[in-house]
Amino acid sequence: MSTLLLSSWSREVQSVPANYVFPKDKRPGGDIEVPVCKDLPVIDLSQLDGIDHRIKIVRQIMKANRDFGMFQVINHGVSEELVDETMTLFKEFFNMPTEDNAMYYSEDGTKGFRLYTSTMNYIKDGVNTWKDSVKHNICQPLEDNIQSWPENPPRYRELVGAYSVEVRKLSSRILDLICEGLGVELGYFGRNELSKSQSLIVHHYPPCPDPSLVLGVCGHTDVNLLTLLQQDICGLQIFKDGQWLGVEPIPHAFVINISDQLEIISNGKLRSALHRVVTNTSVARTSLNTFIGPSLESIIEPEKALVSASEPQMFKSFRFKEYRDINTANLREAKGTRTLEAYKLDLV
C-alpha cells in the first residue's frame, strides 16, 4: 500500500518519474503560468428576489453558458461554514497516515466509496496523472450509502452527508434557472431523470517537482449534465479562444461547469466547457467535484421544444450508459476528440 498512493512517495522525489511525464504536445510546458480568465462571469444568487432581478440573472447564466460553458456562483445558499469544514475534512483525510487509509484503497470502479490513485489513466501514452482521489460513487439517498463511508476524520459522515444534500439543492436551483433560460418547464431535468444521479469525487494534487511536465487532469469535457466544483488553490484552467486560461478561486464560491449532456439536451444552445488541471511545486491542491447526471438507462436527445425548422435537431438520440462507456474508452485511449462529436447529426 505504501507505494500505491501518489501522496505517500511524491514528497520524497526530486524529479518526475517517467510514467508521469506527458508527451510534449500534451504537457503544460511553458504555459503553466497562464493568464487568469478575467471575463469568467461571477453570478450572485442572492439577487434572485424580484422578477427583474431574476430575469437579469437568468440572462447572465445563459450568456455565460454560451460563451464559456462555465461560471462561478456566490451567495448560493450553501453555508460558508459547511463549505470550509468539508474542505478541511478532506484535507485531513488525505493527510492521514497511509496505513489508516489502506482499508479504503480500491481499484474497483464499481465500489460505492473508494480511495485510489492515478494508474495508467491514458493507455496510449502509458502516462499517469498527478493526483490521488476519493470517490463517492452514489451520494443519494444517504441512508443507502453512508454506512460505507469512513468514520475518520471525526464527523466525516455527518459533514459529507450535509454537504451532499446542500449541493444537491444548489444544483436544482441552477438547473431551474437554466430551464427558464431555455424556455422549458421548471423541474424538467428532475422529472425526466436527467439529474437523477449524484456523485462526489475529491481530487488531491500533491506538490510536483516539475509541473511543466505533468497534468493533474487532462483537457476534457465532463460526461454528465452539470458539475459543481469547490476549489481554494489555483490549478483549474479553461480553454477559450485558442488558449488555456486560469480560473481564479473565489472564497466559498462554486464553479459551475456545463457538461456534455446539457449541451445535447439544449440542442447546442449551451456549451460544454473544455478544461484541465495543472499542479504546482509548493502546496497541495484539493478540489471537491459534485457531478449531477442522468440515470444510466436514460435516453438522451435534444428537448423537442428546442428543435424547429430554423433550429434543426443537432444530435441523435442515445442511451446515457452507451455514451458514458464510449467516453471512458476515448479518454483511456487519449484520442483527443470529444465524444459528443460522434453524436452530431449531419445537417448539410
Side-chain angles (χ1 to χ4, degrees):
M1 173 65 187
S2 61
T3 60
L4 291 179
L5 285 176
L6 172 67
S7 55
S8 69
W9 56 261
S10 59
R11 64 176 66 90
E12 307 297 332
V13 300
Q14 302 300 313
S15 60
V16 177
N19 60 330
Y20 286 86
V21 177
F22 273 78
K24 288 184 178 180
D25 63 333
K26 294 180 181 176
R27 66 181 66 158
D31 293 333
I32 190 73
E33 297 292 341
V34 303
V36 171
C37 186
K38 297 292 187 182
D39 300 327
L40 189 71
V42 178
I43 298 174
D44 186 347
L45 295 185
S46 69
Q47 303 297 315
L48 282 171
D49 291 339
I51 186 65
D52 291 339
H53 288 157
R54 190 175 185 89
I55 290 172
K56 179 181 178 181
I57 287 176
V58 168
R59 287 175 177 169
Q60 288 175 341
I61 288 175
M62 295 304 290
K63 187 176 190 307
N65 291 342
R66 289 191 300 267
D67 294 348
F68 296 90
M70 183 181 287
F71 57 96
Q72 300 204 57
V73 291
I74 58 174
N75 298 320
H76 40 63
V78 184
S79 77
E80 293 183 1
E81 181 181 21
L82 181 58
V83 166
D84 288 341
E85 288 184 342
T86 308
M87 175 65 79
T88 299
L89 175 87
F90 279 111
K91 289 181 178 181
E92 290 176 0
F93 180 86
F94 283 108
N95 285 325
M96 288 171 61
T98 303
E99 54 270 22
D100 291 348
N101 283 331
M103 70 180 75
Y104 303 114
Y105 189 91
S106 176
E107 296 180 8
D108 179 0
T110 65
K111 292 192 70 172
F113 173 87
R114 69 184 181 114
L115 169 67
Y116 59 102
T117 197
S118 166
T119 53
M120 289 303 184
N121 286 57
Y122 299 90
I123 292 174
K124 179 181 177 183
D125 299 317
V127 179
N128 302 323
T129 49
W130 193 268
K131 67 177 183 295
D132 295 323
S133 304
V134 159
K135 183 173 184 180
H136 291 258
N137 207 26
I138 302 173
C139 294
Q140 302 292 337
L142 283 178
E143 59 271 18
D144 293 344
N145 298 283
I146 201 168
Q147 296 305 315
S148 68
W149 300 356
E151 294 185 277
N152 288 308
R155 299 184 67 204
Y156 189 107
R157 295 180 178 181
E158 174 191 347
L159 285 174
V160 177
Y163 184 86
S164 298
V165 169
E166 292 305 309
V167 176
R168 178 76 180 185
K169 291 177 184 176
L170 174 58
S171 73
S172 296
R173 292 178 70 199
I174 291 168
L175 286 172
D176 273 347
L177 292 168
I178 289 173
C179 282
E180 291 183 40
L182 290 173
V184 300
E185 59 182 334
L186 294 185
Y188 167 84
F189 296 102
R191 276 192 290 275
N192 292 284
E193 296 198 344
L194 300 171
S195 60
K196 183 176 182 179
S197 72
Q198 177 184 352
S199 60
L200 172 66
I201 301 182
V202 181
H203 294 311
H204 178 72
Y205 307 91
C208 178
D210 189 348
S212 70
L213 301 177
V214 308
L215 283 168
V217 177
C218 295
H220 69 289
T221 59
D222 288 345
V223 69
N224 51 299
L225 186 76
L226 192 74
T227 303
L228 301 92
L229 164 73
Q230 180 188 339
Q231 61 167 355
D232 64 350
I233 300 292
C234 292
L236 176 64
Q237 297 179 349
I238 183 173
F239 194 72
K240 180 78 165 64
D241 298 330
Q243 65 175 329
W244 290 103
L245 300 170
V247 179
E248 191 170 21
I250 297 173
H252 307 116
F254 281 90
V255 178
I256 309 300
N257 187 24
I258 299 302
S259 305
D260 286 358
Q261 307 313 306
L262 197 44
E263 179 170 340
I264 293 165
I265 293 164
S266 71
N267 201 35
K269 291 178 173 59
L270 306 180
R271 169 185 173 185
S272 184
L274 178 61
H275 56 288
R276 70 180 186 184
V277 176
V278 298
T279 63
N280 68 78
T281 59
S282 56
V283 294
R285 177 178 183 270
T286 302
S287 68
L288 283 59
N289 308 267
T290 299
F291 299 97
I292 305 296
S295 62
L296 290 178
E297 300 304 317
S298 292
I299 300 301
I300 308 297
E301 61 186 357
E303 160 56 23
K304 292 179 173 55
L306 304 177
V307 175
S308 65
S310 60
E311 296 180 303
Q313 183 170 332
M314 292 181 59
F315 302 95
K316 60 184 178 182
S317 302
F318 54 88
R319 192 163 59 108
F320 178 61
K321 184 180 185 302
E322 169 199 323
Y323 188 99
R324 188 202 63 173
D325 292 347
I326 291 174
N327 186 74
T328 299
N330 287 345
L331 286 175
R332 290 183 63 82
E333 294 169 13
K335 289 188 175 180
T337 57
R338 295 179 67 194
T339 304
L340 183 137
E341 297 299 320
Y343 288 87
K344 283 189 173 179
L345 295 170
D346 186 358
L347 301 180
V348 177

